[in-house]
Amino acid sequence: MQLTLRSRWMRLVMTAATVVGVATTAAAPAATAAGCAPSVGVSPGASVYGYSDADLNQTFAQMRALGATWTRIDIAWSSIEANRGVFTWGTTDRVVNAARAQGLKVLGIVAYTPRWARAASPVDSDKVVPANPADFGAFAARVASHYGNALSAYEIWNEPNLQAFFMPRVDPGRYVQLLAAASTAIRRVNGGALIVGGGVTGAGNGGGNMNPVDFVSAMYGSGAAPFLDVVSVHPYSYPIDPADTRPNPYNYFNAIPAIRATMVAGGDARKSIWITEFGAPTGAGTNAVSPAAQSAMIVHGVARAGQFGYVGNVFVYSLRDTGPNVYDREQNFGLRYSNGSPKPAYNDLRGYLARCGAPR
């Protein structure tokens, strides 16, 4: 998730959309050809850890009914090994097992540092990077050993191009050290493991953040290629529609080809890009959109991902609103309201995927 960034940079998006006259809605695309969408998943966010067993089962069943084949779940080092050498798996196991019981593949986000392993920082946060990449690698090996085939892929960290998620400062070289340590450790346990690197999101250069295209370029410059199988991105664009290809620095779907070009130049033309988060908030908060516009943006985003030809999976954020406050944008990214009733986006995306013949 990207709570701090959404609040910060989407204010700029609204200004940019107003200045250049970008349309924020468009007609839903026709879906007639088989294979016109990539495989779709849902990134439900950390709120699922507070759900009852019944709510968990219902949540993942609703993902399957949508047509999703994947979900994305935090495997938080800060929770599992809060005390060095003491592993508490039960809370995470409950969520992973509930997802798999509904037939979903699980992308595990291996991230977030317990206090004992953090680098020096004035901030007390599990987003502070590990002082020693080897400690992170050791935890990643434990994850691979514990879960085995229960995890279908491993995403190494989340949004490392944001200072809010990579403290005390964004550093692509340091991220590659963590990626290398985790990837090497996981592959020693499971040689066939699929490693997803990057997880970069929309940001400009400044304020402690780094543009995602520049960050991925610096990753490759720091030797990332051998340690990942997939590059992941979070191309949030709201209130701009992802289908709008006119130049606009705040529509991060338009940055995906540049990231792809970096991969190709780095010898990774055979590797795919995954969109491991994207969505749009409804409600009355700043930059929120109408339910109809949310639906159009999500369907268009999935459709555009399929048109690129090199995007493997798309994860929508998220399934259900985390609360009823329409003025708090962060509560309103769901395809369903907090009371469980569907927004238009849920039914429209389900229909699009069914017509598309998307992988199920």
Side-chain angles (χ1 to χ4, degrees), residues 32-97:
T32 55
C36 58
S39 177
V40 169
V42 178
S43 182
S47 61
V48 294
Y49 278 94
Y51 288 5
S52 68
D53 289 346
D55 278 347
L56 270 182
N57 292 335
Q58 181 184 57
T59 293
F60 292 125
Q62 288 169 343
M63 290 183 193
R64 288 295 284 142
L66 175 70
T69 55
W70 285 79
T71 191
R72 178 174 179 259
I73 293 172
D74 289 339
I75 312 295
W77 184 21
S78 54
S79 297
I80 293 170
E81 196 187 3
N83 297 303
R84 187 167 195 164
V86 180
F87 296 88
T88 306
W89 298 101
T91 301
T92 308
D93 287 353
R94 188 176 73 98
V95 177
V96 170
N97 291 341

Side-chain angles (χ1 to χ4, degrees), residues 159-323:
E159 298 179 352
N161 66 315
L162 296 188
Q163 188 175 39
F165 281 88
F166 205 82
M167 300 177 186
R169 67 181 182 87
V170 169
D171 182 341
R174 191 163 192 173
Y175 171 71
V176 172
Q177 290 177 355
L178 297 182
L179 173 67
S183 176
T184 301
I186 291 167
R187 287 170 172 166
R188 282 176 181 157
V189 176
N190 179 356
L194 189 67
I195 307 297
V196 179
V200 293
T201 193
N205 290 320
N209 303 323
M210 191 169 181
N211 177 275
V213 177
D214 293 342
F215 189 91
V216 173
S217 179
M219 279 174 52
Y220 272 82
S222 296
F227 303 110
L228 54 80
D229 302 300
V230 173
V231 172
S232 59
V233 299
H234 299 170
Y236 288 95
S237 68
Y238 67 89
I240 305 166
D241 193 295
D244 193 324
T245 59
R246 288 177 289 179
N248 188 300
Y250 301 106
N251 182 352
Y252 286 96
F253 264 82
N254 293 344
I256 291 175
I259 291 173
R260 174 65 178 173
T262 295
M263 295 170 63
V264 172
D268 274 352
R270 290 190 168 189
K271 296 178 183 178
S272 64
I273 290 174
W274 287 10
I275 295 172
T276 54
E277 279 186 32
F278 100 100
T282 59
T286 304
N287 298 332
V289 301
S290 70
Q294 181 203 41
S295 178
M297 290 176 187
I298 288 174
V299 173
H300 292 165
V302 172
R304 189 174 180 192
Q307 292 163 5
F308 283 127
Y310 46 75
V311 174
N313 282 339
V314 177
F315 291 75
V316 177
Y317 178 81
S318 60
L319 184 75
R320 193 170 87 186
D321 288 350
T322 58

